[in-house]
Amino acid sequence: MTISRERVLEELSRIAIPGGGTLVSRDMVRALNVESGIVRFVIEASDPTLARALAPVEAEAQRLLSALPGVEKVQIVTTAPAGPRGAAPQVTARSGPPGSPAPSLKIGRHPTPQAGPAPVSGVARILAIGSGKGGVGKSTLTSNLAVALARKGRRVGLLDADIYGPSQPRMLGLTGQRPKSDGDMIEPLHAHGVTTMSLGLMMKEGEAVVWRGPMLMGALQQMLNQVKWGELDVLLVDLPPGTGDVQLSLCQKAQVTGAIIVSTPQDVALIDARRAIDMFDKLKTPVLGLVENMSTYICPNCGHEAHLFGHGGVAAEAAKLNLPFLGEIPLNLDVRLAGDAGTPVAAGDGPVAESFARLADRLIGGGMA
């Protein structure tokens, strides 16, 4: 018989701890891994005194889990920080003039237990914008698509979930601005008709985030549920590259309507795009379609059309996988210049803006936005 994480957490929820609650309800279980009959996890106490008091709890957990069918070995480590709890890097939302006390809301804590995917208050649809690899222009496409949808009259939000590399503040012209907080909820910022939240808005530009997986998951959960998104037709979530903790957390914590996969046409990018599609399949999140970015290049001097990364590869892959092909976005210098300047090219006119407008029309017409 195979043991599951859920079964382990169920058993741990039965064990009372000093001060009330359980290991699970007080969010003290870290790095839980269940594989090949071996259960490993860390009990993280708030201080050394509590860690010592948890010795009987650790022994009871060892006894209960070892008795479960399919469990061959249980490894538990109890830890406590050397300094005060909360010494790990955290980012605090600040309101009021410089020098005023920071409110109590902090981004970067561990996630809170949740029964399953939940809706985000006021948000009708959540679209995850993903790619299997970096460098395919996913964040640029997300910001321009958000602006294009807003120009079509949709109420649009953009959550920058690329926590290690948040770029949306720069692309939307919000660099240096800070969200306000009333201590419990964050007021997002607004640009080009888009309601925006990013960890980059709460940090100095260029400052690194050095967080473990649980802190990433907790930050995403907070940015979903502790931001005053208002009434939105659609919330676009700009995911980091790859298939990691943020993608997993989003699909486990929020009721995601579906995912859009962004790829360039060449085979190397498509290999990773297939991994992203497989990940969303495993997470039971519908893939709504594929977009080919950097699809073609038109020389501004002579008008010659070149396919620097190939052409049509994403459309062919979509047909092969029986998924919708949502459209092509050209490779154009104006896209980069406009993003660096903080005014997405979709906010203006011209052939590139029209390509994003067509993509927005496709989503609206398909009931996806």
Side-chain angles (χ1 to χ4, degrees):
M1 181 182 295
T2 303
I3 187 70
S4 67
R5 285 173 53 92
E6 290 73 18
R7 186 72 178 89
V8 170
L9 290 171
E10 182 183 337
E11 288 298 310
L12 295 178
S13 296
R14 297 170 51 193
I15 305 173
I17 62 176
T22 70
L23 292 174
V24 175
S25 68
R26 287 178 57 178
D27 191 28
M28 296 172 68
V29 178
R30 301 282 177 263
L32 174 59
N33 181 269
V34 182
E35 187 176 0
S36 302
I38 301 175
V39 178
R40 302 183 181 91
F41 63 92
V42 174
I43 299 174
E44 186 179 73
S46 57
D47 56 66
T49 300
L50 178 57
R52 288 190 291 272
L54 288 174
V57 174
E58 179 180 329
E60 179 65 4
Q62 183 87 30
R63 184 187 69 79
L64 285 177
L65 295 177
S66 298
L68 292 176
V71 173
E72 299 178 7
K73 188 177 183 181
V74 178
Q75 297 177 336
I76 306 172
V77 176
T78 300
T79 67
R85 186 171 175 84
Q90 291 184 317
V91 181
T92 303
R94 180 181 294 275
S95 60
S100 62
S104 61
L105 181 70
K106 291 185 177 181
I107 297 291
R109 69 190 188 193
H110 289 282
T112 55
Q114 186 174 308
V120 175
S121 178
V123 177
R125 304 171 192 83
I126 300 176
L127 298 186
I129 314 295
S131 64
K133 69 189 298 293
V136 299
K138 170 186 50 57
S139 294
T140 300
L141 183 136
T142 304
S143 60
N144 278 281
L145 176 57
V147 171
L149 287 166
R151 295 187 74 185
K152 298 288 182 181
R154 310 307 283 171
R155 297 169 298 177
V156 185
L158 197 166
L159 171 56
D160 186 358
D162 193 349
I163 291 173
Y164 285 135
S167 55
Q168 295 300 346
R170 170 60 66 90
M171 292 183 177
L172 292 170
L174 296 171
T175 302
Q177 299 187 43
R178 293 289 182 267
K180 294 182 179 180
S181 166
D182 61 10
D184 296 312
M185 298 290 290
I186 301 173
E187 291 279 358
L189 299 184
H190 303 270
H192 310 290
V194 178
T195 302
T196 306
M197 182 60 201
S198 169
L199 195 64
L201 295 170
M202 305 174 76
M203 304 170 61
K204 296 177 182 178
E205 190 171 25
E207 183 180 356
V209 174
V210 187
W211 284 349
R212 298 173 296 159
M215 296 180 73
L216 292 177
M217 293 184 279
L220 178 64
Q221 189 179 34
Q222 287 177 271
M223 289 195 292
L224 282 168
N225 299 313
Q226 289 184 251
V227 170
K228 295 181 180 179
W229 290 109
E231 297 297 321
L232 298 180
D233 295 310
V234 61
L235 175 64
L236 303 183
V237 182
D238 179 17
L239 291 171
T243 56
D245 287 333
V246 173
Q247 289 86 341
L248 179 64
S249 297
L250 176 67
C251 295
Q252 288 181 334
K253 299 295 185 183
Q255 291 180 357
V256 180
T257 306
I260 294 173
I261 305 298
V262 182
S263 179
T264 48
Q266 76 269 37
D267 288 344
V268 171
L270 287 168
I271 290 171
D272 291 315
R274 293 182 197 113
R275 294 191 180 101
I277 293 168
D278 183 61
M279 172 195 68
F280 283 117
D281 285 343
K282 285 182 168 66
L283 295 174
K284 297 182 173 25
T285 299
V287 175
L288 303 178
L290 281 66
V291 177
E292 182 168 286
N293 199 24
M294 308 183 200
S295 180
T296 187
Y297 174 73
I298 306 295
C299 176
N301 296 319
C302 67
H304 173 69
E305 181 175 345
H307 301 136
L308 303 183
F309 300 104
H311 182 256
V314 178
E317 187 69 19
K320 178 181 175 183
L321 298 174
N322 196 29
L323 291 170
F325 177 62
L326 299 176
E328 302 174 352
I329 305 296
L331 176 65
N332 188 286
L333 179 61
D334 290 341
V335 176
R336 194 271 295 173
L337 293 174
D340 286 349
T343 303
V345 70
D349 299 310
V352 182
E354 289 172 4
S355 68
F356 286 108
R358 286 193 296 271
L359 177 57
D361 283 333
R362 180 70 191 275
L363 296 181
I364 293 169
M368 292 176 269

